[in-house]
Each structure stands twice: as structure tokens, then as C-alpha cells.
């Protein structure tokens, strides 16, 4: 990743179609799990630095969806829709993630990813392992070119800060 010398968020490319992102958070697994599964938490940390989450409609169950729209400091909007495929609390979430417009319609020409989030218990810490699989190398590379590395790091930095608030 092109961040600081000792990045907390680690990104690697295990195959031509995948991104692997890992980070250890200084919080117990049950708390980290809650951050990903409740809209009142997601609204406080989801998105890069300076972005807000004015739309966050969450139906957290297998077959349910999460529709969200982030808004940047310049007014730019970025929306997506997750469809939950598997939920194994508090260890694993598998979902399909798609770019959408503000009405929730799939964005033409944009890749759909399958994401597997694993929450690894490490005592009072939790390692989140995020495996993102795209249909093709070109799809993965498109997302990399859009700046997903910095976006994930900034988003997870915000989660880290939010968890710190929850623990104090």
C-alpha cells in the first residue's frame, strides 16, 4: 500500500482477481462485529476521511441488503448495495457488493465483488480479514485505479477511532 511506513491496514493481491485487506483493531471481536452489523455504527465510520454516510439502509440477514450512499466534502456521491449471502455471527460475513446510483440501480460497467469478512478473535483485539474477489483481473485493477487502497485505509482508520471512543 502507498501509505505510511508501518501501515496498520495491510493490502495484498493473492491472485489476479482478489484483494486481501487485513487489520488488527484494539477491541474485542463482539464489539468490532457490531460496528459492521448496525447502521447506527456504520454511519459513524464508513467511508474515507471527510466523507459522510447520509443514506444507510441496513437489513442485516442472509438475503437482506445494505444500501448506502457516501457523500464527499466536495458534494460527490458514491453509492453501493451489499446483498448478504452468509452470516455466521460473530465470525464471518459474506456479501456481494455492487456500485449503484442514488436510487439503488446497478451502475453499468462497474464490477460486482464478492466480499468475505472474517473477524478473528485475538483476546482483546480483533483481526479483520477482508477478501474481495472480482470476476476478472481487469475488474480488480479498475477498482485499484479508483483508489481503493487509500479509501479502505482511511475508512478503517475512522473505524479504529470510533472503536476507541466506544471503549472509553
Amino acid at each position: 500500500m502507498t501509505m505510511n511506513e508501518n501501515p496498520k491496514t495491510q493490502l495484498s493481491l493473492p491472485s489476479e482477481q482478489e484483494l486481501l485487506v487485513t487489520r488488527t483493531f484494539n477491541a474485542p471481536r463482539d464489539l468490532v462485529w457490531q460496528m459492521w452489523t448496525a447502521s447506527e455504527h456504520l454511519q459513524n465510520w464508513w467511508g474515507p476521511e471527510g466523507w459522510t454516510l447520509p443514506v444507510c439502509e441496513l437489513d442485516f440477514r442472509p438475503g437482506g441488503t445494505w444500501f448506502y450512499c457516501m457523500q464527499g466534502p466536495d458534494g460527490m456521491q458514491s453509492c453501493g448495495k451489499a446483498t448478504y449471502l452468509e452470516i455466521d455471527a460473530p465470525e464471518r460475513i459474506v456479501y456481494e457488493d455492487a456500485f449503484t446510483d442514488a436510487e439503488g440501480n446497478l451502475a453499468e460497467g462497474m464490477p460486482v465483488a464478492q466480499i468475505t469478512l472474517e473477524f478473528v478473535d485475538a483476546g482483546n483485539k480483533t483481526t479483520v480479514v477482508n477478501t474481495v474477489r472480482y470476476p476478472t483481473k481487469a475488474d480488480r485493477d479498475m477498482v485499484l485505479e479508483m483508489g481503493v487502497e487509500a479509501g479502505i485505509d482511511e475508512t478503517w482508520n475512522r473505524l479504529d477511532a470510533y472503536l476507541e471512543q466506544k471503549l472509553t
Side-chain angles (χ1 to χ4, degrees):
M1 294 186 81
T2 54
M3 296 170 301
N4 58 37
E5 289 178 18
N6 298 309
K8 293 180 181 179
T9 306
Q10 306 287 324
L11 185 139
S12 62
L13 307 174
S15 77
E16 289 192 345
Q17 295 168 261
E18 291 178 310
L19 299 174
L20 177 64
V21 187
T22 59
R23 180 159 175 165
T24 299
F25 294 94
N26 194 21
R29 180 168 67 176
D30 285 343
L31 181 60
V32 176
W33 174 267
Q34 289 173 33
M35 299 300 111
W36 294 85
T37 62
S39 59
E40 63 266 22
H41 295 306
L42 285 160
Q43 288 177 311
N44 285 285
W45 66 269
W46 187 264
E49 194 63 43
W51 288 64
T52 60
L53 194 65
V55 177
C56 184
E57 301 166 6
L58 182 65
D59 179 12
F60 187 70
R61 62 179 175 81
T65 60
W66 174 35
F67 175 62
Y68 59 92
C69 289
M70 301 181 291
Q71 186 163 332
D74 59 359
M76 180 183 169
Q77 193 174 53
S78 180
C79 300
K81 183 177 181 180
T83 302
Y84 296 105
L85 305 173
E86 297 173 37
I87 296 172
D88 182 13
E91 296 174 6
R92 180 177 145 110
I93 302 168
V94 180
Y95 63 97
E96 199 172 80
D97 191 46
F99 291 91
T100 70
D101 63 18
E103 285 75 50
N105 302 305
L106 290 183
E108 235 178 272
M110 296 300 292
V112 176
Q114 182 165 313
I115 297 178
T116 301
L117 283 170
E118 296 171 279
F119 300 82
V120 182
D121 189 353
N124 284 329
K125 296 184 179 193
T126 305
T127 300
V128 176
V129 180
N130 183 14
T131 305
V132 186
R133 184 170 180 80
Y134 293 95
T136 67
K137 180 182 185 306
D139 288 339
R140 182 204 65 189
D141 292 350
M142 177 194 304
V143 173
L144 284 170
E145 288 167 18
M146 291 170 60
V148 72
E149 290 178 78
I152 288 175
D153 189 55
E154 290 176 16
T155 298
W156 287 16
N157 286 342
R158 290 181 65 197
L159 172 57
D160 211 15
Y162 185 64
L163 283 164
E164 228 173 86
Q165 291 173 7
K166 289 291 176 193
L167 291 167
T168 55

